[in-house]
Amino acid sequence: MPYVNIKVTKEGGLDGTGPTVEQKGELIKGVTDLLEKVLNKNPATTFVVIDEVALEDWGIGGLSVPEFRKL
Amino acid sequence: MPYVNIKVTKEGGLDGTGPTVEQKGELIKGVTDLLEKVLNKNPATTFVVIDEVALEDWGIGGLSVPEFRKL
Amino acid sequence: MPYVNIKVTKEGGLDGTGPTVEQKGELIKGVTDLLEKVLNKNPATTFVVIDEVALEDWGIGGLSVPEFRKL
Amino acid sequence: MPYVNIKVTKEGGLDGTGPTVEQKGELIKGVTDLLEKVLNKNPATTFVVIDEVALEDWGIGGLSVPEFRKL
Amino acid sequence: MPYVNIKVTKEGGLDGTGPTVEQKGELIKGVTDLLEKVLNKNPATTFVVIDEVALEDWGIGGLSVPEFRKL
Amino acid sequence: MPYVNIKVTKEGGLDGTGPTVEQKGELIKGVTDLLEKVLNKNPATTFVVIDEVALEDWGIGGLSVPEFRKL
């Protein structure tokens, strides 16, 4: 019954607008397999939710990502 | 002072693009009433936040929802 | 496939240390029934997670709950 | 290593569609400075994520924000 | 800069009180490696936070986990 | 109506077991004041929830914090 929330910045993928459907599929499968292997969790009741966050909405070092990357 | 976060897949409603405004209103009212009835929480300081998650961003059984539903 | 997170302050219940097991059961059932009724969601894949938050860890009006209640 | 999530309604800013990039920058800087000052946390490993929530998806007093503001 | 939150029930491990330190380490490493492999994310700025949830605080099928497992 | 969640590691404070009540009060006040100043949010409906996370439950660089700090 795990619930996993993955938050990543909305970038990368084929056109820079965020992970591709295939990449998201790999994340979902990878996390589910990991929880099955390590904690014997049932994939059928393992939820994974991916959130893509706009660069301006993610802060690190006191700056938004776009500003941080100008340093 | 409860804070309730409801995450649902972005589907259903009138045109399949997600819950209608009315349905969201029912969820907000229903959860608020429930917390008042069960725990005597004050509706005036009960927050409910609804997140709609794209089908490709929700994983179950190691697959995204669209892939899972092809099984 | 909804995921619902309910955060409440750690108070109330029989001895003031937080909701009872029965009250939590009522919250889980009530939210699950609500999602089934309003959005036809399958209870078997509806997750509800309850978090109890210590009063000193919850702020409102710029104060922790214990301080706020002294006003 | 703090992780701070700020959820606000999608309103305000210059055109009512939500906080401006500058306002988000102020929130990121303000929270990061606060954690450095109060808990001596390293800004370089302080994450701040801002979520803007549509008014219809935020409930208070058992109503969505638009309905609540009609009272 | 990913932030990953893993919520699991507080069970398993050596004495049934939840995942061991080693198992948590495996989850942290596995998720971090996965994000590096799939999305080329930098492990140095990948946060993973694990939450253990008491069985009575986790609901599925409209019941708490202990009640659900009596079915 | 902002909701702010601050997750910090369970360390520091007077005896290393986590932020003091006073420090938490400073965080609550600081975040609430910041949202009032930047976005004109009403403190009376600004929630701040602080989560303290055990060091072993927080991962960075693919390691738990205790392991990471041994590098």
Side-chain angles (χ1 to χ4, degrees):
Chain A
M1 248 165 295
Y3 169 78
V4 181
N5 177 221
I6 301 174
K7 289 190 195 297
V8 289
T9 44
K10 192 169 178 55
E11 59 183 337
L14 299 181
D15 54 8
T17 61
T20 64
V21 169
E22 292 70 25
Q23 288 174 318
K24 292 178 187 179
E26 280 185 68
L27 293 180
I28 289 169
K29 181 163 176 9
V31 164
T32 304
D33 290 350
L34 178 68
L35 282 157
E36 186 175 26
K37 191 190 83 176
V38 177
L39 295 181
N40 194 32
K41 296 297 186 183
N42 179 357
T45 49
T46 295
F47 284 1
V48 180
V49 170
I50 298 170
D51 291 321
E52 292 178 65
V53 179
L55 296 184
E56 69 188 37
D57 292 342
W58 197 301
I60 181 169
L63 299 167
S64 68
V65 166
E67 294 304 312
F68 183 76
R69 288 177 175 165
K70 290 178 190 169
L71 296 181
Chain B
M1 247 163 294
Y3 169 78
V4 181
N5 177 221
I6 302 174
K7 289 189 193 300
V8 289
T9 42
K10 193 169 178 54
E11 58 183 337
L14 300 181
D15 53 9
T17 62
T20 65
V21 169
E22 292 70 25
Q23 289 174 318
K24 292 178 186 178
E26 282 185 66
L27 293 179
I28 290 169
K29 181 162 176 11
V31 164
T32 304
D33 291 349
L34 178 69
L35 282 156
E36 186 175 25
K37 190 189 82 175
V38 176
L39 295 181
N40 194 30
K41 297 295 185 183
N42 180 355
T45 49
T46 295
F47 284 1
V48 179
V49 170
I50 299 169
D51 291 321
E52 291 178 65
V53 179
L55 297 184
E56 68 187 36
D57 292 343
W58 197 299
I60 181 170
L63 298 167
S64 68
V65 166
E67 295 303 312
F68 183 76
R69 288 176 175 165
K70 290 179 191 169
L71 296 181
Chain C
M1 243 163 300
Y3 169 78
V4 181
N5 176 221
I6 301 173
K7 291 191 194 298
V8 288
T9 41
K10 193 168 178 52
E11 58 183 337
L14 299 183
D15 53 10
T17 61
T20 64
V21 169
E22 292 70 23
Q23 290 173 317
K24 292 178 185 178
E26 282 184 69
L27 293 179
I28 290 168
K29 180 161 176 13
V31 163
T32 304
D33 292 349
L34 177 68
L35 282 156
E36 186 176 25
K37 191 190 80 175
V38 176
L39 296 180
N40 195 30
K41 297 296 185 183
N42 180 356
T45 49
T46 295
F47 283 2
V48 180
V49 170
I50 298 169
D51 292 322
E52 293 179 64
V53 179
L55 297 183
E56 68 189 37
D57 292 343
W58 197 299
I60 181 169
L63 298 168
S64 69
V65 167
E67 294 304 310
F68 183 77
R69 287 177 176 165
K70 290 179 190 169
L71 296 180
Chain D
M1 247 163 295
Y3 169 78
V4 181
N5 177 222
I6 302 174
K7 290 189 194 298
V8 289
T9 44
K10 193 169 178 53
E11 58 182 338
L14 299 181
D15 53 9
T17 61
T20 65
V21 169
E22 292 70 26
Q23 289 174 316
K24 292 178 188 177
E26 280 185 69
L27 293 179
I28 290 169
K29 181 162 174 14
V31 164
T32 305
D33 291 350
L34 178 68
L35 282 157
E36 186 175 25
K37 191 189 83 176
V38 177
L39 295 181
N40 195 30
K41 297 297 186 183
N42 180 355
T45 49
T46 295
F47 284 1
V48 180
V49 170
I50 299 169
D51 291 321
E52 292 179 64
V53 178
L55 296 184
E56 68 189 36
D57 292 342
W58 197 300
I60 180 169
L63 299 167
S64 69
V65 168
E67 295 304 309
F68 183 77
R69 287 177 176 166
K70 289 178 191 169
L71 296 181
Chain E
M1 245 164 296
Y3 169 77
V4 181
N5 177 223
I6 301 174
K7 291 190 194 296
V8 289
T9 42
K10 192 168 178 55
E11 60 183 335
L14 299 182
D15 53 9
T17 61
T20 65
V21 170
E22 292 70 25
Q23 290 173 316
K24 293 178 186 178
E26 282 185 68
L27 294 179
I28 289 168
K29 180 163 177 10
V31 164
T32 304
D33 291 349
L34 177 68
L35 283 157
E36 186 176 24
K37 192 190 81 176
V38 176
L39 296 180
N40 195 29
K41 297 296 186 183
N42 180 355
T45 50
T46 295
F47 284 2
V48 180
V49 170
I50 298 169
D51 291 322
E52 293 179 62
V53 178
L55 297 184
E56 68 189 36
D57 292 343
W58 196 300
I60 181 169
L63 299 168
S64 68
V65 168
E67 294 304 311
F68 184 76
R69 288 176 175 166
K70 290 178 191 169
L71 296 181
Chain F
M1 245 164 296
Y3 170 76
V4 181
N5 177 221
I6 301 174
K7 291 192 195 294
V8 290
T9 42
K10 193 169 177 53
E11 59 183 337
L14 299 181
D15 52 10
T17 61
T20 64
V21 169
E22 292 70 25
Q23 289 174 317
K24 292 178 187 179
E26 281 185 68
L27 293 179
I28 289 168
K29 180 161 174 18
V31 163
T32 305
D33 291 349
L34 177 68
L35 282 156
E36 186 175 25
K37 192 190 82 177
V38 176
L39 296 181
N40 195 30
K41 296 297 184 183
N42 180 355
T45 50
T46 295
F47 283 2
V48 180
V49 170
I50 299 168
D51 291 321
E52 293 179 63
V53 179
L55 297 183
E56 67 189 35
D57 292 343
W58 197 299
I60 181 168
L63 299 168
S64 68
V65 167
E67 295 304 310
F68 183 76
R69 287 177 175 165
K70 290 179 190 168
L71 297 179

